[in-house]
Amino acid sequence: MEHITIKDIAKALNLSFSTVSRALRGHPDVNQETKKKILALAEQLNYEKNPLALSLRKQKTNAIGVIIPEIANPFFSRIISGIQHVAYEAGYNVMICLSDESIEREISNLRHLLRYRVDGLLAAVSVETSTFPHFELALAKQVPMVFIDRVWDHPQVSKVLVDDFEGAFTITQHLIEMGYGQIAHIAGPEKLLVTQKRLEGFRAAILAHDLPLPPDYIQFGGFTEDFGAEALQKLLSLPSPPDAVFCVNDRTATGALLHCKTQQVQVPRQLGIAGFTDMPVSKLIEPGLTTMAQPAFEMGEVATQMMLRYLAAERYEPEVLILKTQLIIRESTRRSII
Amino acid sequence: MEHITIKDIAKALNLSFSTVSRALRGHPDVNQETKKKILALAEQLNYEKNPLALSLRKQKTNAIGVIIPEIANPFFSRIISGIQHVAYEAGYNVMICLSDESIEREISNLRHLLRYRVDGLLAAVSVETSTFPHFELALAKQVPMVFIDRVWDHPQVSKVLVDDFEGAFTITQHLIEMGYGQIAHIAGPEKLLVTQKRLEGFRAAILAHDLPLPPDYIQFGGFTEDFGAEALQKLLSLPSPPDAVFCVNDRTATGALLHCKTQQVQVPRQLGIAGFTDMPVSKLIEPGLTTMAQPAFEMGEVATQMMLRYLAAERYEPEVLILKTQLIIRESTRRSII
DNA sequence: CTGAAAGCGCTAACAC
DNA sequence: GTGTTAGCGCTTTCAG
């Protein structure tokens, strides 16, 4: 038989299918004997509940939707691993959608997941996302949401992030301590909250130490390697070029580093470079990249745990969880001879 | 209203819901006028079909299941990107499950997807998988399957892979051409087909050039960095250590390279190192890693296209597609001074 | 304790 | 053209 159903079992045992249904989901009102028979037969026939029918009936899918910009990025793929890990243990299904850093696609992903009646939503917004009507919609539908890292800054949704301000402050301060005095910042996409926070942290550290900060020292743009290289090129061609850069993430930092290699710029001697995130490459590249580590896997885990709590309690109380970053010092900023 | 249905529209327009259903799915037997009215109202009310009900009714989910060992591995995440890319364009939904390189979990993933009635299945098996009763089951249920890279070698299923034998042969030959004469092989998990094919290709190249191949020169084990380092350590402590290693993948090669750095072994002068796959790190690490590039994204794409063909034609004719690898020469094997 | 019946939202014969 | 009906597989009243 293609797929055996509750009815097949009922027929075989000469019972009504409601009794079978009860037995199968452990309802107390069913005779021990018949229950035993039913379970035995189900086992033997390899019966499995049809989750589609179940979802339709219960109006819940037992699924958590995930919208993420790209999966080929280790930061996000580690977040997804964390999500899967926790969801799997809890018997929840996760539906992953990729926005490809496009807001149009993000909207389409969201519609898809909503249409699908996911029980909850985990998301990191695309670089293009600066208005949030699509997420408003989800909010209106009472779907619990937890944003991860790339958050929607709205009081009614939960967030899991790191303290970007503090992280940026700390690493900038590290550059200063290493003796760099003309520090520039390769920033991310201008409208993103993460970009702004890291910029603020950077700026605060620079100001706290009375260092110069010409407007040209801040280069907005993107998260890619190419952008990092391009931005550094601009910085180096300034009349008074920086002696260090803090990059919004490791990818731009990597791009900057590669640019230095082609241009024979000595890192860390002539130029100090620091990143953010701590991707696997960062310790392999040479010189090793100084960076602020973000606990990506853990971010995925805790976001999912929060979601599971909401789902279990059937109430959604927005909360904000801020995880620790960690300064990882490698060679790309080791200017001073110790 | 929480979720508007076909009935709501029917009631509002004083029609039977079957008419509405017909209009909504473009059935010809419906008056142009009423059709227009229905579509207009649906549009206005922001009606969306409930995919759960649809799937239950049609006994197909419009979903493709994917089982993959891990997502944090760039090779697999690029495959997934390729899959998502094609599936998305075709309006197919993809359900990603991670086996975490565990066969137990792989079995559970498969059961989950089957229970979920996915229309087709894409898979790369775990390192632990050497028997395939779970996939037999899927085959028995007539679910079309395409294996990617880590394949089940069964005549009745489709496969998308690269020519591992030839790739291994080519890169080993490259090592020989660079003047290395005592070449070892850090192999993968012993039972995996990929491992065997690459080993065979390696061995064939060595034999073709009449080079020595002591049994100790082949170290089976895993795909991880740690294993690469460990295996190289053993090789280097041999009475007659190799002057080059071909590693089953870039991760083991990276581990081997790192081991060389800590042990002050000069690469490529004292030891040549070659990998397989071409991960993003491979060009960033120093020295750059010589490797055989596998078109991961494309593998995901073509596997999905095959699947879409089966689904559209409603018939599954197993086929095998072999994609080209490409030798990427970097510094880790540039021994000879040119 | 067990069975009958309604219904989740939709499609697809079958009537009219 | 349109409405009626049955049914996908299951849960959940409501009777008995």
Side-chain angles (χ1 to χ4, degrees), chain A residues 10-321:
Chain A
K11 210 168 291 171
L13 258 35
N14 226 306
L15 287 164
S16 81
F17 64 91
S18 45
T19 304
V20 176
S21 168
R22 272 190 281 257
L24 252 24
R25 87 194 109 96
H27 191 102
D29 283 2
V30 54
N31 185 304
Q32 283 303 317
E33 281 309 303
T34 43
K35 181 171 180 177
K36 217 168 268 177
K37 274 197 289 186
I38 291 170
L39 293 183
L41 187 58
E43 175 78 80
Q44 185 202 322
L45 259 38
N46 227 316
Y47 168 79
E48 308 220 48
K49 279 193 193 171
N50 183 329
L52 258 34
L54 226 157
S55 296
L56 180 59
R57 178 63 236 242
K58 303 237 257 174
Q59 295 289 62
K60 71 180 293 277
T61 46
N62 224 45
I64 297 173
V66 178
I67 301 179
I68 222 97
E70 43 169 351
I71 208 169
N73 179 329
F75 177 62
F76 292 121
S77 65
R78 275 152 68 204
I79 289 178
I80 292 181
S81 296
I83 293 171
Q84 289 263 25
H85 185 248
V86 173
Y88 180 90
E89 296 303 325
Y92 264 84
N93 177 6
V94 347
M95 302 192 53
I96 300 166
C97 293
L98 309 181
S99 68
D100 238 338
E101 297 285 19
S102 137
I103 185 167
E104 190 192 332
R105 198 114 161 190
E106 181 176 287
I107 292 170
S108 142
N109 288 337
L110 186 66
R111 288 177 63 119
H112 176 77
L113 293 172
L114 255 28
R115 191 166 45 215
Y116 214 86
R117 315 285 194 266
V118 291
D119 298 337
L121 197 63
L122 266 30
V125 308
S126 87
V127 292
E128 293 181 2
T129 307
S130 57
T131 65
F132 303 82
H134 45 315
F135 289 116
E136 292 278 10
L137 188 72
L139 201 56
K141 298 213 183 206
Q142 320 253 37
V143 179
M145 286 187 274
V146 180
F147 284 81
I148 306 174
D149 189 64
R150 303 254 200 105
V151 307
W152 176 25
D153 193 17
H154 186 288
Q156 299 222 49
V157 300
S158 288
K159 310 170 189 76
V160 172
L161 15 64
V162 296
D163 193 333
D164 291 297
F165 178 93
E166 200 216 345
F169 189 95
T170 302
I171 202 163
T172 305
Q173 194 151 29
H174 162 74
L175 285 169
I176 297 169
E177 281 163 9
M178 291 318 258
Y180 297 104
Q182 308 205 49
I183 309 174
H185 179 41
I186 295 180
E190 193 153 1
K191 285 174 288 190
L192 231 45
L193 193 66
V194 169
T195 300
Q196 291 163 17
K197 293 290 183 195
R198 292 184 192 168
L199 171 58
E200 282 170 27
F202 165 75
R203 187 173 266 146
I206 296 293
L207 288 180
H209 289 264
D210 285 323
L211 292 177
L213 184 49
D216 282 344
Y217 268 29
I218 294 166
Q219 295 284 334
F220 284 103
F223 281 142
T224 65
E225 250 180 54
D226 284 350
F227 172 68
E230 185 190 314
L232 184 63
Q233 182 170 29
K234 278 189 200 146
L235 289 170
L236 293 181
S237 64
L238 252 31
S240 158
D243 62 0
V245 280
F246 160 49
C247 303
V248 68
N249 67 357
D250 284 3
R251 279 165 76 190
T252 50
T254 301
L257 196 50
L258 293 178
H259 181 74
C260 289
K261 289 191 190 181
T262 64
Q263 303 298 304
Q264 323 281 13
V265 176
Q266 301 286 329
V267 177
R269 192 142 44 82
Q270 292 171 271
L271 187 78
I273 298 183
F276 206 108
T277 295
D278 194 29
M279 309 229 295
V281 282
S282 308
K283 74 166 195 293
L284 298 176
I285 200 169
E286 274 185 43
L289 194 61
T290 292
T291 191
M292 292 302 295
Q294 286 180 283
F297 186 84
E298 192 188 346
M299 291 172 84
E301 283 186 318
V302 300
T304 312
Q305 281 155 358
M306 279 166 77
M307 180 57 72
L308 291 175
R309 275 209 310 281
Y310 304 147
L311 263 22
E314 291 188 10
R315 58 201 289 259
Y316 175 40
E317 277 186 6
E319 38 188 338
V320 178
L321 192 59

Side-chain angles (χ1 to χ4, degrees), chain B residues 6 17 21 47 49-50 57:
Chain B
I6 221 171
F17 67 89
S21 168
Y47 167 79
K49 278 192 194 172
N50 182 327
R57 180 61 236 243

